Amino acid sequence: MSTRLLLLEDDPAIARTVAYALERDGLQVTHCLLVQDAREQMQRQPFDLLVLDVGLPDGCGLDLLRDVRHGQAAAALRQRQATPVLMLSARGEELDRVLGLELGADDYLAKPFSPRELAARIKALLRRAAMPAPAAAAPTPFVDDETGQRITLHGQALPLTRREYRLLSHLLRGAGRIHARDALLAAAWGDDSESTDRTVDTHIKTLRAKLREVDAGREYISTHRGMGYCLDV
Ligand code: CA
């Protein structure tokens, strides 16, 4: 099945050269002059890629981009939320460019552009879209509720003191990294001069005991001699 592309562009001369270049590359191009036409076309069929002009007689291509990136609106338009989108805009419209990228455009071309460049960018976007999504990061067994100052392990709330909470929260945020004792001291005790490295060691010990209460099968905090502590999830 060939790749379907929607081109929203109100300048017929630009649309013609673009459509010609893309069709020559084997893409199936549906051209619309108005935002409303584009919406109707989208409701009819999902597209593999959208090329949207910004300034159109009946509206703005950025609004359409916003809708595609919004779950419910995208579903109403029958488009995948992750559909690659390339924005076209008049030269020097820096604001459009920034706005477009903020709204989730994948690429941007300023007019005038060469149809060959557009075709090359579109191919790159399609290649990227065809790549399998990177495996989702393994879910961490910890959940840190920073507002409530509570941490759960495997869904079970840990009975932590304020210091222990700060210590564990800091370790979680930098999971996989080794934290020096004085960095942990600064994070959990602030400027309390009464505390020493020994204080950190003591708290890590009680923290480990509390983690073991919930999950006896794993040691989450490892000691790196002469360097500090590391939390592995
Ligand atoms: Ca235009």
Side-chain angles (χ1 to χ4, degrees):
M1 212 173 70
S2 68
T3 305
R4 279 198 297 246
L5 182 145
L6 180 121
L7 169 66
L8 174 58
E9 167 61 66
D10 61 316
D11 183 323
I14 294 178
R16 217 174 303 125
T17 44
V18 165
Y20 177 76
L22 297 176
E23 279 165 355
R24 203 180 38 193
D25 279 345
L27 299 172
Q28 190 185 318
V29 180
T30 302
H31 172 226
C32 302
L33 293 156
L34 299 171
V35 178
Q36 191 48 41
D37 296 343
R39 286 186 187 278
E40 282 164 20
Q41 286 295 338
M42 287 162 93
Q43 279 157 10
R44 230 166 274 159
Q45 58 178 336
F47 288 94
D48 300 303
L49 191 136
L50 311 171
V51 178
L52 309 175
D53 187 20
V54 173
L56 294 142
D58 67 334
C60 178
L62 290 170
D63 291 334
L64 203 51
L65 167 63
R66 191 183 284 122
D67 284 356
V68 169
R69 289 294 180 253
H70 184 275
Q72 264 175 314
L77 285 169
R78 297 190 54 196
Q79 303 302 307
R80 285 182 309 116
Q81 215 175 327
T83 308
V85 177
L86 186 146
M87 298 299 305
L88 301 174
S89 177
R91 183 196 278 284
E93 296 288 346
E94 176 69 12
L95 191 66
D96 288 348
R97 194 179 72 84
V98 172
L99 207 57
L101 295 175
E102 272 177 9
L103 289 174
D106 298 281
D107 204 354
Y108 179 94
L109 258 185
K111 294 176 188 172
F113 54 83
S114 84
R116 278 175 65 183
E117 174 165 20
L118 178 67
R121 300 248 197 142
I122 283 173
K123 270 189 247 164
L125 284 180
L126 289 171
R127 263 200 309 274
R128 232 187 291 160
M131 280 193 311
T140 152
F142 291 96
V143 175
D144 185 354
D145 165 17
E146 290 182 39
T147 336
Q149 304 240 309
R150 269 159 44 103
I151 294 173
T152 57
L153 172 57
H154 296 304
Q156 203 171 321
L158 295 164
L160 304 175
T161 64
R162 197 160 53 93
R163 303 275 194 227
E164 286 163 0
Y165 168 78
R166 286 203 211 154
L167 201 55
L168 184 55
S169 180
H170 186 79
L171 285 166
L172 274 173
R173 262 173 289 153
R177 287 205 307 266
I178 299 172
H179 299 262
R181 284 182 177 76
D182 51 354
L184 291 172
L185 204 54
W189 279 266
D191 291 330
D192 184 354
S193 55
E194 297 291 295
S195 307
T196 64
D197 286 4
R198 281 294 306 155
T199 321
V200 175
D201 295 341
T202 313
H203 278 75
I204 291 283
K205 206 173 149 195
T206 55
L207 208 47
R208 276 178 172 152
K210 288 180 179 180
L211 296 178
R212 233 174 276 132
E213 290 274 302
V214 176
D215 186 354
R218 262 199 70 174
E219 198 60 74
Y220 288 99
I221 302 172
S222 54
T223 310
H224 295 259
R225 208 165 289 281
M227 294 164 78
Y229 294 103
C230 174
L231 183 122
D232 304 293
V233 287

